[in-house]
Amino acid sequence: MDKNSLVSILINNYNYGNFIAEAIDSALNQNYPEIEVIVVDDGSTDNSREIIASYGDRIKPILKKNGGQASAFNAGFAASTGDFICFLDSDDLFKVDKVTAVVNAFQQDKTIGWYFHTLELFGSQLDQKELDSVSSELSGIYDLRPYILRGKLRGSLPFEVNIATSGTCCRRSLLERILPMSEETRITSDDYIKYAALGISKGFISFQPLARQRIHGNNAYTLTPGIEKLRAKTQILTACQLKEKFPELSKFSNNLVAMGISIYWKIGSIEAATQKLLNTYMSTINYLEKAKIYTKVVYYRFIRHRLNTFGFKK
């Protein structure tokens, strides 16, 4: 392993003063020595900035007005200098050997652009039901570009895998193609980064949980009740960004739009700002594409739901 490769750990924070010190400590305590820790505070109104200041020059702080997670990602990446970038939510923790594992994988295969890994859930608000797990023997290099180009991702792997922000790592050269991103998506902005990465590069999926995701009852997304409207909005926003920056992935972005619309059909309402975005998106595609999108909407809303209800997985 090239010990000279610098790794940037980007921590994004908003009002998580109760947790941020643990997140920073987990980044600083990595057993890989060449790291820089960049903490972006997105206009917190609690004691977060006092805690960040207490670390002095051990970290690189960026204190900005509130603009959402996408703006924090943009600011953190712009300030970074590392060859590899690891994202960390301020309520999560890296395990001590996380960065070493990531660098090893990137150094062993110079052609992979991303490294995604699973997370171990913990916290007082965690339902003790075991989530589905996948054998670590399935860890390895995956090239999902052919599936994304055809507009598909579901079914491209022999298992289901959900990757959160704190399980996302990329080469700098790949992120330079993806960022900066639109700052309209205020949370779950990592969806755009992950889908873009999958569509333009092969990478490594690890089923070793190299980070811990805290479930504390105030999570912005994971295991949060009533999340459907946010999921629908995020899918449409992500689709708009993908189509604008990577038009070759339009089949995939069209499918994201269809999934978003199907959720809005289910819940019965759509925000005016999201409707405006959707109208703009639809104005850029032809009638055949629109017909395919609404065919997918009907399938997602009515047919697939019924297949799943009766025990069929499609």
Side-chain angles (χ1 to χ4, degrees):
M1 182 172 63
D2 182 359
K3 297 294 186 183
N4 294 320
S5 293
L6 179 66
V7 177
S8 300
I9 301 175
L10 307 188
I11 303 176
N12 66 98
N13 177 70
Y14 177 66
N15 282 348
Y16 275 164
N18 289 340
F19 308 127
I20 189 171
E22 289 182 80
I24 294 172
D25 289 344
S26 76
L28 291 172
N29 292 334
Q30 291 296 298
N31 61 16
Y32 181 83
E34 299 298 325
I35 61 169
E36 62 175 7
V37 178
I38 299 170
V39 183
V40 183
D41 185 80
D42 190 40
S44 291
T45 57
D46 62 0
N47 63 337
S48 291
R49 295 194 172 188
E50 297 168 13
I51 295 170
I52 292 168
S54 71
Y55 284 86
D57 60 4
R58 298 174 67 198
I59 64 173
K60 184 185 294 186
I62 299 176
L63 310 179
K64 59 185 286 298
K65 66 179 182 180
N66 183 253
Q69 191 181 49
S71 68
F73 287 164
N74 288 341
F77 182 61
S80 70
T81 59
D83 304 297
F84 312 120
I85 314 297
C86 297
F87 294 91
L88 174 60
D89 281 337
S90 57
D91 52 342
D92 295 341
L93 307 172
F94 279 175
K95 295 187 177 181
V96 67
D97 56 348
K98 182 246 175 70
V99 171
T100 295
V102 171
V103 173
N104 275 332
F106 279 130
Q107 292 290 1
Q108 287 172 13
D109 191 323
K110 307 288 186 179
T111 68
I112 63 172
W114 49 266
Y115 184 109
F116 299 157
H117 64 78
T118 56
L119 284 81
E120 173 188 303
L121 303 186
F122 77 106
S124 59
Q125 299 296 319
L126 179 63
D127 189 328
Q128 293 304 308
K129 291 186 299 183
E130 288 289 330
L131 299 179
D132 291 339
S133 60
V134 178
S135 170
S136 61
E137 294 179 359
L138 290 173
S139 299
I141 294 173
Y142 288 88
D143 188 353
L144 304 182
R145 289 174 293 181
Y147 298 95
I148 298 287
L149 288 171
R150 295 202 303 271
K152 299 180 179 180
L153 186 55
R154 187 182 177 93
S156 60
L157 296 170
F159 43 77
E160 292 292 329
V161 56
N162 294 310
I163 303 298
T165 301
S166 301
T168 303
C169 318
C170 295
R171 283 189 191 273
R172 179 172 210 86
S173 56
L174 179 65
L175 273 184
E176 286 173 339
R177 299 175 62 189
I178 297 172
L179 298 178
M181 64 186 294
S182 167
E183 298 185 356
E184 289 187 69
T185 310
R186 297 183 64 86
I187 66 171
T188 66
S189 307
D190 56 307
D191 278 2
Y192 162 71
I193 295 174
K194 290 180 290 192
Y195 289 143
L198 290 172
I200 63 178
S201 175
K202 66 179 182 178
F204 193 98
I205 299 178
S206 172
F207 294 98
Q208 293 285 351
L210 299 173
R212 305 181 73 206
Q213 184 175 15
R214 190 192 307 265
I215 306 302
H216 49 79
N218 195 33
N219 298 83
Y221 195 85
T222 301
L223 299 186
T224 301
I227 205 67
E228 286 188 316
K229 183 174 286 190
L230 177 58
R231 181 180 294 118
K233 180 179 180 180
T234 300
Q235 287 171 336
I236 290 173
L237 285 168
T238 301
C240 290
Q241 293 183 77
L242 285 174
K243 191 173 190 303
E244 179 179 358
K245 203 153 191 177
F246 303 102
E248 67 272 23
L249 305 181
S250 61
K251 289 183 178 179
F252 185 76
S253 61
N254 286 351
N255 278 350
L256 284 179
V257 165
M259 292 175 69
I261 295 173
S262 72
I263 296 173
Y264 279 121
W265 279 15
K266 178 182 177 182
I267 62 182
S269 64
I270 182 170
E271 308 90 342
T274 307
Q275 182 65 65
K276 185 177 179 180
L277 271 177
L278 182 57
N279 292 343
T280 300
Y281 187 97
M282 290 299 191
S283 71
T284 66
I285 62 178
N286 60 43
Y287 287 109
L288 179 59
E289 288 179 291
K290 290 177 185 176
K292 289 180 178 179
I293 285 175
Y294 281 102
T295 299
K296 286 282 189 180
V297 171
V298 172
Y299 170 74
Y300 291 140
R301 175 65 184 92
F302 300 107
I303 300 174
R304 191 170 78 180
H305 171 73
R306 292 188 179 184
L307 287 173
N308 289 342
T309 297
F310 288 104
F312 295 96
K313 299 297 181 181
K314 188 70 172 176

